[in-house]
Amino acid sequence: QISEAEVALFSVSSYACQRRTTLDNHNSNLTDALSLLAENAELNNEDGRGVAFRRAAALMKALPTQVISMSQLRGLPCLGEHSLRVIKDVLENGVSSEVESTKQSKRYKALKILTGIFGVGAKTADRWIREGIYNLEQLRHSGQTLNRAQKSGLEHYDDLNEPVTKAEADAIGEIVQKAVDSVLTGSQVALTGGFRRGKLTGHDVDFLITHPEEGKEVGLMPKVVAWLESRGFLLYQKTTRNSYLESKDGPARPASNMDRFERCFSIFKLTKGKEQESTQPEEQNDLKTKDVLRPHMQVDTDQQLCELSKNYQMEAASHKIWRAVRVDLVVSPISQFAFAVLGWTGSKLFERELRRWAGHEKNMSLSSHALFDNTQNKYLRATSEEEIFAYLGLEYIPPSERNA
Ligand code: TTP
Ligand code: MN
Ligand code: MN
Ligand code: MN
């Protein structure tokens, strides 16, 4: 038993954008539990609950040591009744009963599997579940109409659910740089997203493309995509025009340079190993069933067949010389580049908290395009992330400490 006096109390700011959150998490038992409940809430379209659990998890990630007693949490922000109950359960019993029952639930498992398909969101997954579809096998046999993204997502399901490594992100970065150099000299490519924050793996790779001369970036995305496509680097792509002017989250803006933000959701075909210099990805080695299922093999039972099929799939996977990787490409004019870099570096909660801070504490509107001061009724120009933090009255937090 620890006495009151021995307990170390924490002092933590209430906005995640005021805190330094590295990848060094001393409370992963607690943050895993809270993150799972956040995810479950999001999968059920309960956004308010989702944010509450995300904030609680982010707060626990920012603590400098491991929490051992509830009394240490006294006075901390962001911890609601529900989150405290979950934390208490984990501290006292090693696990949270709510987390365990959620993990076991048929609905949660199905939502995870179905939203694991690129192009499938919580709403589509919910509709399928109501129609009795709980897994990929049932989906494949259901006769459901899938859109182009979902077809691609289903086809590359295993690859896309396999974490992307930093080495793979760098290899793709080289290809993107080459594409961009080829279509417009002087263009710049920046790695954003989780990899910019120092994460060792990610669910995708995010790039921001710009050109130092304002206006030169116009029309760049279709050219980059055409270059990549003609060399067989893309398994899927969907390019979207900038919709900034029509969007509700940005301030209304008269300038015309705002409708130039373009973005491309893609699936890359990444050749494994060091063959990256070759601009033409080689065709997959066709592994024939006979290589694994040799003629002399007797298959008597379903279990044997299942075992052989598993071996075959493992063999096939190990022979495959390429993998599918989700890649996000965004083109920004240089005048908005600092805002775009800040907006695309994440984490998602850090971004959400920056915008909340700007609105609630500074009467400003922050987006990935601009910062508007509602008091002075003007846009605040910036060419670096440091300037944006300064406008917001925040201490500069480097990307590696934005892992809220
Ligand atoms: P993600 O790629 O979704 O997340 P991540 O890179 O932090 O983590 P992961 O390793 O799982 O890929 O998003 C990266 C950032 O991009 C995120 O901070 C928010 C921003 N973003 C937008 O601005 N608009 C969007 O529509 C999306 C999806 C992301
Ligand atoms: Mn530490
Ligand atoms: Mn990412
Ligand atoms: Mn992304």
Side-chain angles (χ1 to χ4, degrees), residues 203-204 206 328 344:
H203 98 281
D204 70 355
D206 307 281
D328 282 336
W344 277 86

Side-chain angles (χ1 to χ4, degrees), residues 146-186:
L146 303 183
N147 64 30
R148 207 165 56 84
Q150 295 163 345
K151 277 180 197 152
S152 245
L154 195 55
E155 185 179 346
H156 304 293
Y157 188 87
D158 290 340
D159 274 0
L160 299 184
N161 283 286
E162 176 82 19
V164 184
T165 65
K166 180 61 166 59
E168 288 168 332
D170 289 339
I172 291 168
E174 280 177 36
I175 296 166
V176 173
Q177 183 70 61
K178 198 178 228 170
V180 159
D181 285 342
S182 306
V183 301
L184 181 64
T185 41

Side-chain angles (χ1 to χ4, degrees), residues 17-252:
C17 56
Q18 297 172 291
R19 310 192 289 249
R20 298 179 180 274
T21 313
T22 64
L23 292 167
D24 179 24
N25 179 355
H26 302 272
N27 289 284
S28 47
N29 56 336
L30 301 173
T31 60
D32 285 353
L34 294 165
S35 299
L36 186 132
L37 295 178
E39 183 194 34
N40 185 241
E42 288 158 2
L43 287 173
N44 283 293
N45 277 305
E46 300 172 316
D47 291 344
R49 269 161 80 88
V51 172
F53 283 129
R54 291 274 172 223
R55 284 213 189 105
L59 185 109
M60 304 310 289
K61 277 182 206 167
L63 299 180
T65 58
Q66 192 189 346
V67 172
I68 45 168
S69 141
M70 285 303 283
S71 58
Q72 290 173 280
L73 303 179
R74 215 178 304 130
L76 284 183
C78 309
L79 301 176
E81 209 182 297
H82 198 156
S83 293
L84 283 170
R85 208 186 323 139
V86 173
I87 293 167
K88 186 163 185 277
D89 212 4
V90 175
L91 290 181
E92 287 175 0
N93 309 311
V95 289
S96 145
S97 54
E98 187 179 357
V99 168
E100 293 312 298
S101 65
T102 302
K103 272 195 218 168
Q104 300 303 316
S105 82
K106 199 175 167 187
R107 179 173 168 84
Y108 172 78
K109 285 185 199 167
L111 284 168
K112 278 287 277 185
I113 290 169
L114 298 175
T115 60
I117 304 169
F118 169 64
V120 177
K123 284 195 182 115
T124 302
D126 176 64
R127 196 182 74 233
W128 287 346
I129 290 169
R130 282 189 276 110
E131 293 178 33
I133 299 164
Y134 290 84
N135 56 45
L136 303 187
E137 206 47 36
Q138 289 169 341
L139 176 64
R140 286 197 178 100
H141 294 106
S142 69
Q144 287 284 337
T145 314
L146 303 183
N147 64 30
R148 207 165 56 84
Q150 295 163 345
K151 277 180 197 152
S152 245
L154 195 55
E155 185 179 346
H156 304 293
Y157 188 87
D158 290 340
D159 274 0
L160 299 184
N161 283 286
E162 176 82 19
V164 184
T165 65
K166 180 61 166 59
E168 288 168 332
D170 289 339
I172 291 168
E174 280 177 36
I175 296 166
V176 173
Q177 183 70 61
K178 198 178 228 170
V180 159
D181 285 342
S182 306
V183 301
L184 181 64
T185 41
S187 302
Q188 293 163 10
V189 178
L191 180 66
T192 59
F195 288 112
R196 181 158 185 260
R197 302 196 307 274
K199 279 178 64 182
L200 298 176
T201 61
H203 98 281
D204 70 355
V205 194
D206 307 281
F207 294 103
L208 189 59
I209 302 166
T210 192
H211 191 280
E213 215 177 304
E214 184 85 4
K216 278 276 171 86
E217 81 292 345
V218 176
L220 187 53
M221 187 72 90
K223 288 179 195 158
V224 171
V225 170
W227 191 96
L228 292 167
E229 205 143 49
S230 69
R231 281 157 188 80
F233 284 120
L234 298 181
L235 296 161
Y236 168 91
Q237 68 86 14
K238 186 179 165 64
T239 305
T240 324
R241 265 190 60 243
N242 168 26
S243 53
Y244 181 63
L245 281 176
E246 299 103 280
S247 81
K248 286 164 279 157
D249 49 46

Side-chain angles (χ1 to χ4, degrees), residues 254-355:
S256 60
N257 64 343
M258 283 303 173
D259 56 354
R260 290 174 186 171
F261 247 62
E262 284 179 306
R263 108 185 214 182
C264 176
F265 291 113
S266 76
I267 301 176
F268 257 63
K269 180 175 184 174
L270 179 67
T271 302
K272 289 181 180 175
K274 281 189 163 180
E275 297 80 27
Q276 246 66 63
E277 297 95 309
S278 140
T279 49
Q280 200 73 49
E282 291 156 61
E283 273 317 297
Q284 179 188 349
N285 288 337
D286 268 318
L287 183 75
K288 298 290 185 304
T289 315
K290 64 173 166 51
D291 296 338
V292 183
L293 294 179
R294 295 192 177 77
H296 63 270
M297 282 183 176
Q298 276 298 123
V299 183
D300 296 325
T301 65
D302 274 2
Q303 202 196 332
Q304 277 179 349
L305 184 64
C306 184
E307 200 57 39
L308 283 170
S309 152
K310 210 168 71 192
N311 288 343
Y312 170 69
Q313 281 171 26
M314 280 165 57
E315 277 282 304
S318 68
H319 281 70
K320 210 175 90 167
I321 61 153
W322 61 271
R323 67 161 293 189
V325 179
R326 271 274 298 116
V327 175
D328 282 336
L329 302 175
V330 180
V331 171
S332 152
I334 191 77
S335 62
Q336 299 169 21
F337 190 66
F339 297 99
V341 170
L342 179 59
W344 277 86
T345 296
S347 68
K348 279 193 193 85
L349 186 80
F350 192 91
E351 302 294 338
R352 175 184 269 278
E353 293 280 276
L354 269 178
R355 293 195 297 270

